[in-house]
DNA sequence: CTCTATGCAAAATATTTGCAAGGGA
DNA sequence: TCCCTTGCAAATATTTTGCATAGAG
């Protein structure tokens, strides 16, 4: 499963814009980490991202990967997908959607949200920031 | 938020039945661990469960808690609720339902699934075992 | 030039495993 | 009796932090 060229460009541009907005230096390592997540539908976990980036930057530190993931999350560039019993995976698709977790195969799929699913705006007096419907296969 | 006496009895009976079915000895520690999860809507995480059980069994080991949680999960007695950025929480409510995660308050609420939400039986040729709709507040 | 990011190492946290002894069925 | 469970300690795995240096804006 690959993403369209157009979708990828959009994600990367969004990434660069956000970085500029926040006056954050745009290093090659950061770009590589973001691309490792954004350039496919693989929903990699930390060590997969680390391995991937390592092939381009053999000196990259795992701490750098962790630090950047945290930063990207706080900027709203990526979303963490927690998976029961395994390390979290990361997703750069920003539209609200669902996930199918196939633990046996160690994979996470993207799914459109069903038409029928209308999300509440508020719960317990608090704004619903995000919603994630996870199917376990 | 507390659960009804009836619901609790049901959960505990289910727990005892399952243990007997599987020919697993029913130790006081196991019961205490299960009850720590089943007797409220608190969705405790591992260390909260550990602290709770420790008050009754000061010698209990954290490893015992972990081992039993894994066992309970594989028996279908509890469900792990992964929470982004924090350790997982555990739920003994077995009906399919949703969760609202309030990270700021460190709480997870149970929610009925909306009527409108009809879950697919299969995805990608695999049976949907469980589905979890998580709202982030 | 200034400020953040990087890489390294160490610390902190979380989880799993091996094994001897104890206790339920 | 048999086998699972417990508790302890050690091993692994995961994530965070501090600090000196390098590099982006």
């Amino acid at each position: 499963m690959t993403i369209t060229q157009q979708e990828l460009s959009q994600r990367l541009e969004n990434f660069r814009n956000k970085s500029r907005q926040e006056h954050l230096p745009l290093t090659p390592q950061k770009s590589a980490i973001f691309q490792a997540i954004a350039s496919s539908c693989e929903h990699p976990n930390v060590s997969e991202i680390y391995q991937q980036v390592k092939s381009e930057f053999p000196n990259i530190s795992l701490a750098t990967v962790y630090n950047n993931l945290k930063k990207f999350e706080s900027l709203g560039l990526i979303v963490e997908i927690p998976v029961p019993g395994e390390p979290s995976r990361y997703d750069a698709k920003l539209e609200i959607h669902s996930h199918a977790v196939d633990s046996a195969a160690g994979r996470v799929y993207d799914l459109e949200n069903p038409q029928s699913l209308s999300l509440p705006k508020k719960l317990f007096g608090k704004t619903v920031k995000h919603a994630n419907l996870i199917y376990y296969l």
Side-chain angles (χ1 to χ4, degrees), chain A:
Chain A
M1 190 82 84
T2 112
I3 70 170
T4 66
Q5 195 54 49
Q6 193 197 357
E7 175 67 18
L8 177 56
S9 315
Q10 229 169 63
R11 291 180 181 185
L12 293 177
E13 198 188 318
N14 188 232
F15 167 63
R16 283 188 292 261
N17 288 341
K18 206 77 173 198
S19 299
R20 209 172 315 129
Q21 263 176 45
E22 306 285 335
H23 305 288
L24 296 176
L26 194 48
T27 66
Q29 288 91 336
K30 277 173 111 136
S31 300
I33 293 169
F34 183 76
Q35 285 202 35
I37 306 170
S39 63
S40 82
C41 299
E42 292 301 315
H43 305 90
N45 60 29
V46 173
S47 52
E48 286 163 349
I49 296 167
Y50 178 57
Q51 291 307 327
Q52 162 90 49
V53 177
K54 210 176 172 59
S55 68
E56 198 180 345
F57 299 90
N59 290 330
I60 190 112
S61 155
L62 193 48
T64 300
V65 175
Y66 274 106
N67 290 336
N68 279 304
L69 290 180
K70 265 191 10 184
K71 189 146 294 179
F72 294 164
E73 259 197 283
S74 73
L75 295 178
L77 287 168
I78 62 171
V79 167
E80 179 182 350
I81 310 167
V83 182
E86 324 173 19
S88 293
R89 294 168 170 278
Y90 295 86
D91 193 352
K93 180 182 167 89
L94 295 177
E95 300 77 37
I96 287 190
H97 62 292
S98 306
H99 292 108
V101 175
D102 184 348
S103 295
R107 295 204 46 175
V108 173
Y109 302 92
D110 284 320
L111 292 172
E112 296 298 318
N113 271 351
Q115 296 292 325
S116 61
L117 180 60
S118 60
L119 299 173
K121 295 266 184 300
K122 274 179 172 281
L123 284 173
F124 309 110
K126 306 204 178 194
T127 306
V128 174
K129 287 207 289 267
H130 184 68
N132 198 356
L133 173 55
I134 309 185
Y135 299 94
Y136 299 102
L137 309 180

